[in-house]
Amino acid sequence: MAERVAQGVVAGLVAGLAGQVATAVVGILPWSVLPLTASLLVVAVRLGLRASERSAVLLRRGATTTALVVALACLPGVIGVADVHAVKGTLGLMLVAIQVCQAVSWQVPRERRSGLFTALGVLVLAASYSPDVLVGVPLLVGWAALLVALAQLQGARLLQVVPAVSVALVLGLVTFLVVPAPVSAGIRSRLSGQAAGDPVGQQRGEAGAAAFSGENLDLRRRGALSTDPVAQVPADSPTLWRAASYGGYDGTGWTRTTGTLTDVQGATYRLAKPSAQARSDRVTLRTATDGTVWSPGPIDEVGLGNARRLLDDGFGGLQLLGLSGGYTVTSEPPVTDLDRLRSTSGADALGWRDLPDSLPNRVISLAQQLTAGTTNRWDAAEAIATWLRANGTYRLDSPVPAPGEDAVDRFLFVDRTGFCEQYASAEAVLLRAVGIPARLATGLAYGVPAASGQRLYRVADLHAWVELWVQGTGWVTSDPTAGVPLAAAGSVGLRARVAAQLTALLRSAARVPGGRPALALVLLLATALVALLATRRGARGSRAGGGRRDGGGPLVAAFQRFDARLGTAARRPGESLRDLRARLANGTGNVLPGSGPAVDVGLALEVLELQCYAPTAPDAATVAAAVETLDRC
């Protein structure tokens, strides 16, 4: 009996720890807090099991009071909040705190069972917040540990638990496979997508500069960029040269406004009056171009050269049709003053906050988590960019999102590998998720030194970054890939490799003949077969001796005499022998005044249970010793 309880407690502890790990994977608990909560849980269990009866009572009372105080303190942050993602941190903290408080009471069978329900609650909470595929590992470990703990603490055979649990699990999985979830719900089956492929070929590499200044920027494009020259600029100019901005995000890419085609005359085209800080730069074009006007900041004026038609998108992007050779551009330098960047007063931008309805809620939740505590838009952008640099891998051959899969969600929660478009798109979407106007900007970045005080930009220097609106300042630049080294092809982190392999495995499981309905049917039939075999084995065990044996044998007669002497403590109607043992062994060391140690009675009752119900009866010597013990007590 004691061995079963010990095994059940260890399994329950494993389930509790697995639940805490799962909450950390989905961002409910910070990873920095996990070592503390896990240590507290282990210490609480050990303390509760080793405490004396008097100390255990005090511990239980103190734990109950503490758990109640924690629940009452957390309730105001939960009640009345419409966004369930806004309260997940509070719910997680409350459940884990209650779990730790409850663990000091695991001396009592009822409290041990309650602890299992709390561990199950933590697991369910982690599973309910659209977790990425890696959360399945602690969830499976925790669920298996819960089954073992339930079987050991309840005295049931694990085989008796397996059929019902298998049916419940598979029915849930069948529902997940067969019933399509609406895209607007932000929940999609990992099995619903097709194998990842490149739907648009290697267009990123083939299209060159046009891919970074056209009407659409598709985040599914892959391919290496060439070293062909694009433009040459003064070496002392800013390192980021802008071409266009993109404001419409649909989950697969970005779109920009086409603009207005205008016939122009004269030597220059003016968009705004240059300020005292404006600078003029001569740009020499080194390749055939679509007329994109590269500039290091907001354009004030541009020399027309031989161009007489101009396309203005209304957001600072220009194309001079028929342009060749080069041009001179006058622009405003980037804002670098931190006081201006952290301004919180002034006019706000209209729009630039739209997101698709299909964006998973976990993206919004991550944005709220990363920007919590920031007091201005620049610091919010810096917090997001810092997280992206620390948690992403910069690679040009990153996996391609499946059809219907949100590209930013895939980057943030599955692969965490990508290039500048993925990083910048992620930052822009996360900023919009917390109400900050943001857009994707494209152009040329950094370049390489050239002769005569010049800097050369090549096709390989095409880049994407973020522009966010700061009140009182306007659009400012944030580059989340600044300083991030380019990883070698195939050098993916362990987490990304595991996530990609698990995702591919789940998707391949759906490509069985007949598709998802056929897979669901196979799972149902397999579960029915397991349940049938388990039931037949249990029935054979009962016929082989699992039922009550030896009617009025000497051990049963000894127990009846012992039970009669118990008086008010006698076996209650419907009470099992295991429950009777737990009730009699109440920590006093004796069952009755003047009787022998309670553990002797417990062993005798366990022998009686084996004699009556086990497939194989105990030997005669063991039965005789149990009879003597019961008669002595």
Side-chain angles (χ1 to χ4, degrees), residues 28-228:
I28 295 176
L29 283 182
W31 282 103
S32 58
V33 176
L34 181 62
L36 175 62
T37 58
S39 300
L40 287 175
L41 182 60
V42 173
V43 170
V45 171
R46 291 177 62 87
L47 182 63
L49 293 178
R50 293 186 175 187
S52 64
E53 177 64 22
R54 182 181 297 274
S55 299
V57 172
L58 294 176
L59 283 172
R60 286 196 293 271
R61 291 174 179 174
T64 302
T65 303
T66 304
L68 182 60
V69 170
V70 169
L72 291 176
C74 293
L75 281 179
V78 176
I79 297 176
V81 179
D83 184 4
V84 295
H85 288 264
V87 301
K88 71 175 185 180
T90 304
L91 285 175
L93 178 62
M94 180 174 68
L95 278 177
V96 171
I98 292 175
Q99 183 183 52
V100 171
C101 293
Q102 198 176 46
V104 301
S105 304
W106 279 19
Q107 277 189 339
V108 180
R110 179 184 60 189
E111 295 298 333
R112 289 195 290 267
R113 290 191 291 268
S114 299
L116 295 183
F117 283 114
T118 306
L120 178 62
V122 175
L123 289 170
V124 170
L125 179 68
S128 65
Y129 278 96
S130 300
D132 69 23
V133 70
L134 287 186
V135 80
V137 176
L139 287 179
L140 288 176
V141 171
W143 182 249
L146 276 175
L147 292 182
V148 173
L150 177 65
Q152 296 296 80
L153 295 178
Q154 292 296 112
R157 299 173 191 164
L158 188 59
L159 189 60
Q160 296 173 336
V161 182
V162 168
V165 172
S166 299
V167 170
L169 285 174
V170 174
L171 284 178
L173 181 59
V174 167
T175 303
F176 182 66
L177 291 173
V178 176
V179 179
V183 174
S184 60
I187 303 173
R188 286 190 296 276
S189 167
R190 291 277 183 191
L191 306 186
S192 61
Q194 299 299 318
D198 188 349
V200 289
Q202 303 297 316
Q203 293 180 16
R204 182 177 185 268
E206 295 169 0
F212 280 68
S213 59
E215 295 180 20
N216 300 289
L217 193 152
D218 195 331
L219 295 177
R220 298 169 298 175
R221 287 174 174 163
R222 298 293 184 270
L225 297 176
S226 71
T227 58
D228 294 341

Side-chain angles (χ1 to χ4, degrees), residues 440-501:
L440 192 76
T442 59
L444 298 165
Y446 310 115
V448 295
S452 304
Q454 297 285 298
R455 184 189 309 124
L456 176 65
Y457 285 112
R458 305 154 302 172
V459 174
D461 297 317
L462 291 167
H463 194 52
W465 58 89
V466 176
E467 293 177 342
L468 66 142
W469 183 271
V470 172
Q471 305 97 315
T473 300
W475 293 105
V476 298
T477 296
S478 173
D479 186 4
T481 56
V484 179
L486 178 64
S491 59
V492 188
L494 176 61
R495 182 194 181 284
R497 290 200 304 271
V498 173
Q501 290 172 359

